[in-house]
Structure formats: C-alpha cells, structure tokens
Amino acid sequence: MADPVHSLTSPLLAGSRRALAKAITLSESTRPEHEAQAQALLAEVLPHAGKSVRVGLTGVPGVGKSTFIEALGMALADSGHRVAVLAVDPSSARTGGSIMGDKTRMPRLTVHPSAFIRPSPAGGALGGVARRTREAITLCEAAGYDVVLVETVGVGQSETQVAAMTDLFVLLTLPNAGDELQGIKRGIMELADVCVVNKADTDPPAAVRAQTELRAALNLLTPHDAPWRPVALRASALTGEGIPEVWDTVQDYAGTVDLALKRRVQNGLWFDELLREAVWRAFQRGLDAGKLRELRAEVEVGRLTAVQGVARLMSG
Ligand code: GDP
C-alpha cells in the first residue's frame, strides 16, 4: 500500500465503506510498518471521531443477537442513521474462525447502503482484540457512522472490555429467565444498562415473568444513587415488536447519563491499560528470562512466597 494514510484519509472521512474496511484491515495488521501507518491514520481522523452512540450488546449464543442487531440496525438505517456493527469474539482467536459478526448472519443489513458490518478479527489475545475494536470504533465514527453496535458473545470474557469502550451495554436474555438467570454470570448483569427479554413471541406470559424477575434483580444490583437505573424490556427480534422501545431507551440513557464524562473516564482507563502493557513489554526486554523461570518455579513448589519471588526479581 503506497502511503495509505494519505490515500485513505479523504475517502474515509467522506464515508467510503471501502476505505473504512481498508483502514480497519490496516489497524488489524501486526506488521510494524502497518502499525505505524494505522496509528498515523488514527491520529489524523481522531478529531472527526467520537460523534456516535456506542452500544455494546451481549447474550449467550442462540439468544438472537444477530437477528436483533439486524432488526434494530435495519430500523435505524431506514430512518436515516448510519449503522456500524463490530464484533468482539475472543473464541475466534482460538478456533481461527470467526463465529460472530459474520455477514451471512445479517443478510439484509449487510447490503444496506447505510450499514457497515465487520466480523471479529481472527487471532490475537483478548487484549489485542479489544485494542483493535477500539480503533475500529474510532474509524467507523470518522467515516460518519452515528450508531456503532459492538456485539460480544455472552460468556464472560470480553464483556467487561466491551462495556469499557461503549456508552451503554445491552444484555439479551430468554423468556425462561429462571434457568437463564443462573446461566448469566452476575458480573454480566452488573454491566447491563438495558436488559431485553428476546423471543417474547415464543411464550408471552413467560416473557412477562422474566421481565419482572430481571427488573427485581437489576434493582438489587443497582446502587440507590446511580445516575441510571437499568431497564428490563421485552422484544421479539423476529417480529420486530419491542425494538423501537429499545432504541427509545438508548436515547433516554444518552439524555440522562453524562456521556462526555463517561468517555473521558474510559479514555483515561484505556491509556492506563496501554501504559501497563508498554511498561511490561519494556521491562520484559531487560529481564533475565532464566532468573524469571527459576523464581517462578520456586514459587510454584512453595520454596518462596509469590511476594518474595517478585521482590527478588525486582531487586535485580
Ligand atoms: P445469536 O447466536 O445470539 O446471534 O442468535 P441468532 O440471531 O442467530 O438467533 C438464533 C435463532 O433464534 C435463529 O433461528 C433466529 O431466527 C431465532 N430468533 C432470534 N430472535 C428471535 C425472536 O425474537 N423470536 C423467535 N421466535 N426466534 C428468534
């Protein structure tokens, strides 16, 4: 790619999907020259980013995430929004294949001129996937997407990371909440700003019960002085029922919570995280790997406490 920064910036800012796809590919590359180019591009477009509603979305496989995103995304795109869908799937790093954000899962949204769908990048540790997703959000915003949906599979690994890069977090659940609540990790419930009982069409009375139970659980989890009290809704991604109410709630949230402050806090935490990584990498370069292995082995067999081992390593 000849000077990609120069050749991508204008079309990206003009909203070209092709340029956006190329820019994201560049930011996912681990080749040092690509990394440098991606960072230059990001710096160039950063002033144009930040103007979207960023929605994280999770739920166990089969709950209806892709159907829901397609329904919500189509409604938004048809009413003049530009919608980007990104996926975070740490399991794709292990399997080598992406099971999320797969374009065939959202056939109508994929071909909508106002939508952009990007599957989860394959390969790399969760930290790397999180970094690339943050960068992809920035690039989508610079390309004029005003709604960014970040999908993650509800198994508890990537939700915290996605919650830390989005404005609000939506948890999809099923009408059989009794069983469902046990399957959802409490940690994920605590992250949720909006819970949606999906597939309400399959068993309406059960969906109402599930909504009531969720509401009670969310109330228990939310501190009294919280600026936002998480909401429990019902919807059917298949029939489209309840989808407009989900979007109304997102807008309520955006009008209630100080998003600028939230993003400042998130940017700060993001900086801390990158700094920790950079310091660790720099430290590792100067480290005596043999000594590290030795000390770790002594800690493993109980000859040293972990505190002693680390103290010896740090004292050189
Ligand atoms: P994901 O794995 O969470 O992305 O789930 P999918 O969106 O692929 O949905 C799994 C299955 O549930 C598909 O067969 C969908 O058609 C179906 N489904 C999704 N949402 C609904 C819904 O609201 N009602 C009904 N009846 N089926 C749904």
Side-chain angles (χ1 to χ4, degrees):
M1 249 186 263
D3 191 11
V5 180
H6 210 74
S7 59
L8 283 180
T9 306
S10 303
L12 179 74
L13 293 178
S16 153
R17 282 201 289 193
R18 209 172 120 81
L20 174 58
K22 276 189 176 176
I24 295 178
T25 301
L26 190 66
S27 83
E28 287 172 357
S29 170
T30 49
R31 282 175 55 183
E33 73 268 29
H34 288 171
E35 282 186 19
Q37 288 163 355
Q39 291 312 316
L41 178 64
L42 280 160
E44 189 84 16
V45 303
L46 190 62
H48 304 275
K51 298 185 203 82
S52 78
V53 182
R54 304 172 187 169
V55 180
L57 197 130
T58 195
V60 294
V63 72
K65 290 181 298 301
S66 44
T67 313
F68 184 89
I69 289 174
E70 172 145 282
L72 177 63
M74 285 299 291
L76 292 173
D78 281 340
S79 64
H81 290 282
R82 295 188 70 212
V83 182
V85 180
L86 304 171
V88 178
D89 176 16
S91 63
S92 70
R94 282 199 305 275
T95 60
S98 173
I99 57 164
M100 296 184 62
D102 186 339
K103 294 187 179 185
T104 58
R105 293 167 70 229
M106 302 169 201
R108 287 183 304 140
L109 195 58
T110 300
V111 295
H112 198 295
S114 297
F116 175 83
I117 300 180
R118 183 77 178 190
S120 181
L126 178 55
V129 174
R131 196 201 82 191
R132 288 179 282 187
T133 306
R134 277 181 188 267
E135 292 176 350
I137 292 175
T138 301
L139 293 168
C140 289
E141 289 178 347
Y145 288 85
D146 63 328
V147 180
V148 180
L149 303 174
V150 186
E151 177 191 10
T152 175
V153 70
V155 291
Q157 295 172 53
S158 46
E159 281 68 27
T160 318
Q161 305 247 16
V162 171
M165 61 179 90
T166 50
D167 299 326
L168 92 167
F169 202 63
V170 177
L171 171 66
L172 293 189
T173 67
L174 293 168
N176 53 336
D179 315 334
E180 178 69 10
L181 277 180
Q182 291 164 22
I184 301 169
K185 294 193 176 58
R186 188 189 148 105
I188 296 185
M189 282 276 290
E190 281 172 348
L191 296 173
D193 301 298
V194 179
C195 284
V196 181
V197 181
N198 189 39
K199 303 196 185 182
D201 58 295
T202 59
D203 188 344
V208 172
R209 282 196 300 278
Q211 183 186 18
T212 309
E213 285 176 33
L214 267 175
R215 203 171 269 155
L218 289 169
N219 258 329
L220 280 177
L221 287 172
T222 312
H224 290 298
D225 55 352
W228 171 260
R229 301 209 69 78
V231 174
L233 301 169
R234 269 174 295 143
S236 167
L238 205 62
T239 66
E241 213 173 317
I243 300 287
E245 287 75 7
V246 174
W247 184 245
D248 289 346
T249 306
V250 170
Q251 286 180 306
D252 265 1
Y253 179 92
T256 307
V257 172
D258 185 348
L259 289 186
L261 174 66
K262 191 165 176 170
R263 288 192 182 181
R264 275 208 300 279
V265 171
Q266 291 186 346
N267 287 342
L269 292 173
W270 176 226
F271 175 83
D272 293 346
E273 196 177 313
L274 285 187
L275 181 62
R276 255 194 313 277
E277 266 176 37
V279 168
W280 171 240
R281 272 199 304 273
F283 175 68
Q284 263 183 323
R285 277 197 291 275
L287 202 64
D288 178 345
K291 189 174 175 191
L292 172 72
R293 263 198 308 278
E294 239 169 68
L295 287 168
R296 196 166 193 284
E298 292 201 36
V299 171
E300 278 173 2
V301 299
R303 266 200 296 276
L304 286 178
T305 66
V307 173
Q308 287 172 318
V310 170
R312 286 199 198 171
L313 189 66
M314 299 303 287
S315 65

